[in-house]
Amino acid sequence: MDYLVVDMPPGTGDIQLTLAQKTTLAGAVIVTTPQDLALKDAIKGVEMFRKVSVPVLGIVENMSLHTCSNCGHSEPVFGSGGGERIAADYDTRLLGQLPLNMAIREGTDSGLPSVAAAPDGEIAGFYREIARRAAAQIWLNAGEEELPEIEID
């Protein structure tokens, strides 16, 4: 297995702490929405993972923008810039932003995620880009570790 993604509730509960203490993790991705209350939980998550020496690969901002399916008007109904602020304040990166979109909810409820339902669609592209950036960060972090000295006979 190359990657195991565990979707956990926000914050710093027993599940997150136990997982960090009992397994070797390549990193954590913090998912938040732009509003202030959610950002506070996300910050607690960043701080907790750092305290237990789990690299924070970056931030994903969910429900960042809603586009009306009837008129095309877009607006950040939950605020804007929260993911970018956390990334900047905690020296990590914004891996991506996901829109508030009916297709994501419908696909999740039906068990057919956006990437499977419409692999060439815009939503799937957002998810692929987030996954690519997270994987790249894992690779970059692996290069930061001190390599053991090798003796050549």
Side-chain angles (χ1 to χ4, degrees):
M1 177 179 349
D2 291 327
Y3 297 95
L4 173 63
V5 176
V6 181
D7 184 0
M8 295 185 289
T12 56
D14 290 341
I15 297 168
Q16 291 87 332
L17 192 56
T18 300
L19 188 60
Q21 292 173 335
K22 302 283 184 187
T23 61
T24 301
L25 302 175
V29 173
I30 306 297
V31 180
T32 187
T33 54
Q35 70 264 42
D36 291 342
L37 187 58
L39 295 171
K40 289 179 183 181
D41 277 341
I43 289 167
K44 288 178 186 177
V46 170
E47 291 172 347
M48 188 272 308
F49 280 114
R50 288 190 171 166
K51 283 181 184 171
V52 294
S53 300
V54 173
V56 175
L57 304 175
I59 307 294
V60 173
E61 188 180 87
N62 196 15
M63 297 190 275
S64 62
L65 189 67
H66 176 260
T67 301
C68 177
S69 57
N70 291 322
C71 71
H73 172 73
S74 293
E75 68 181 322
V77 293
F78 295 109
S80 63
E84 292 170 335
R85 281 193 308 275
I86 291 176
D89 291 349
Y90 287 86
D91 195 31
T92 189
R93 65 231 24 88
L94 182 65
L95 297 174
Q97 295 170 299
L98 296 167
L100 177 61
N101 184 283
M102 185 72 76
I104 294 173
R105 200 259 321 144
E106 291 172 344
T108 302
D109 286 351
S110 71
L112 190 61
S114 303
V115 176
D120 296 325
E122 181 182 35
I123 304 288
F126 294 143
Y127 280 106
R128 271 196 306 280
E129 186 62 20
I130 290 166
R132 186 190 67 73
R133 289 177 179 165
Q137 193 57 49
I138 291 170
W139 182 82
L140 289 169
N141 289 354
E144 293 175 3
E145 295 174 6
E146 208 172 296
L147 298 175
E149 289 193 33
I150 300 173
E151 291 185 28
I152 301 176
D153 293 329

